[in-house]
Amino acid sequence: MTDGTSLRGRVAGAALRRYREAIGYQLEDAALVLGCDRSKISRIEGGLRGIRTGELRALLAEYGVDAAEQEILAVIADRRAGRGWQDDYADVLPGEMRDVLALEMAASRLLVYEPQQVPALLQTQDYALSLASADPGLPAGSQDRAAEAVMIRQEGILGRGGLEVTVVLGQAALCQAVGGAAVMGAQLGQLAAFGEDLPGITVQVLPFSCGAHAASSAGPLTVLELAGSPSLGAVHLGGLAGGICLEDPAAVARHAGLFRHLRAAALPPGESARLIRDTAARYRPDGEPAQLS
């Protein structure tokens, strides 16, 4: 059963509403399929209550949803999909963020924009620990666990096949000396290697020289796309307490369009890797960065 009002519940409910409306069914027609009243369907579609797996599949079959899309939605809607390692780190992962991580596991493509820091999926453990140590919102003494959660997330997402990750990184992220010169040198070296050596991962740098750009007034964002399911997806906007999520298809499409503009303004992957390596070399091993521009 889905969890009412959770991100996954809202994504599943909104998809069910779109499927129903696409074939011209009213709430009463869907209610007849499940043998319930229309208010139950309304609450499911609004993400206000859960739906059992059998009920979900009955509605999807009635709506003519193909088998591949049914399987994707079943994973999203199953509340057990959000349980596991994320719950073990509930003290350092806000509830909405745990739902985002569950959606990540069902995604086929992630579009990531980070203006000021290396995104979590590409961080070294020392870099992640340095960020955690500077986060006043984390409980005292939990910084090591926060960094562990980043590493486990990487293993689960990057360790599986079939996932495409495209990252646009602001050049400021290369110059912000998180953890000091040694940490940054190692982090930038790994970042360049990710972009050059791992299939499915593309890293592009948005240089200072590009000036104003499509996301000049925006913060970090991730678009989560699901294979074969244009009506499914979400956008995670980073911020305090885990940020916020948008699951409306129009919002997903707008942010995917914004990301295309960012990619067009960013350096190509090869030039980006060279810039990253050049910047890494300018961090001196004695603990202080050389002059960066």
Side-chain angles (χ1 to χ4, degrees):
M1 179 181 288
T2 65
D3 293 324
T5 72
S6 72
L7 172 63
R8 289 176 295 111
R10 297 196 306 270
V11 170
L16 286 170
R17 182 183 67 251
R18 292 193 295 273
Y19 298 144
R20 173 179 61 77
E21 293 175 346
I23 63 171
Y25 271 31
Q26 303 298 314
L27 288 171
E28 291 80 1
D29 300 316
L32 284 174
V33 175
L34 298 189
C36 64
D37 57 58
R38 68 189 304 275
S39 67
K40 176 177 176 177
I41 301 296
S42 179
R43 290 175 63 79
I44 289 171
E45 291 182 353
L48 299 176
R49 66 159 294 161
I51 181 171
R52 297 184 183 282
T53 301
E55 294 176 328
L56 172 69
R57 291 192 177 276
L59 286 176
L60 294 176
E62 181 71 17
Y63 298 157
V65 178
D66 64 52
E69 196 157 338
Q70 286 192 35
E71 290 306 315
I72 292 171
L73 193 61
V75 171
I76 294 171
D78 187 353
R79 67 180 179 183
R80 292 170 299 181
R83 301 188 185 280
W85 77 264
Q86 298 100 321
D87 282 348
D88 292 337
Y89 289 84
D91 56 323
V92 294
L93 293 173
E96 188 88 333
M97 191 61 201
R98 297 199 296 278
D99 262 358
V100 171
L101 298 182
L103 280 184
E104 271 189 350
M105 293 301 298
S108 60
R109 190 179 187 206
L110 301 176
L111 310 177
V112 182
Y113 169 59
E114 276 284 359
Q116 291 186 302
Q117 67 180 43
V118 176
L121 286 176
L122 305 182
Q123 292 172 7
T124 66
Q125 187 160 2
D126 286 339
Y127 186 96
L129 181 58
S130 296
L131 287 177
S133 298
D135 186 349
L138 286 174
S142 65
Q143 288 76 18
D144 285 340
R145 285 179 52 75
E148 286 176 12
V150 171
M151 296 299 104
I152 294 173
R153 177 184 180 185
Q154 286 184 18
E155 182 178 354
I157 298 299
L158 302 183
R160 65 183 177 89
L163 177 65
E164 179 183 346
V165 180
T166 304
V167 174
V168 173
L169 186 68
Q171 188 176 352
L174 310 183
C175 302
Q176 189 77 24
V178 173
V183 170
M184 280 301 297
Q187 173 63 82
L188 296 183
Q190 176 171 293
L191 182 63
F194 270 130
E196 293 176 323
D197 301 336
L198 286 185
I201 297 181
T202 301
V203 178
Q204 293 181 243
V205 176
L206 193 66
F208 293 137
S209 59
C210 79
H213 54 79
S216 291
S217 60
L221 65 91
T222 299
V223 180
L224 299 96
E225 297 184 349
L226 304 172
S229 304
S231 63
L232 296 176
V235 178
H236 177 242
L237 304 177
L240 296 175
I244 62 172
C245 287
L246 309 174
E247 59 271 6
D248 177 71
V252 176
R254 283 196 303 273
H255 285 84
L258 181 150
F259 192 83
R260 286 193 294 272
H261 285 291
L262 289 173
R263 286 203 70 185
L267 298 175
E271 291 183 31
S272 296
R274 285 193 291 274
L275 176 59
I276 293 168
R277 290 196 183 281
D278 287 347
T279 306
R282 295 161 70 184
Y283 281 94
R284 296 196 302 261
D286 57 7
E288 293 296 332
Q291 184 65 37
L292 299 174
S293 58

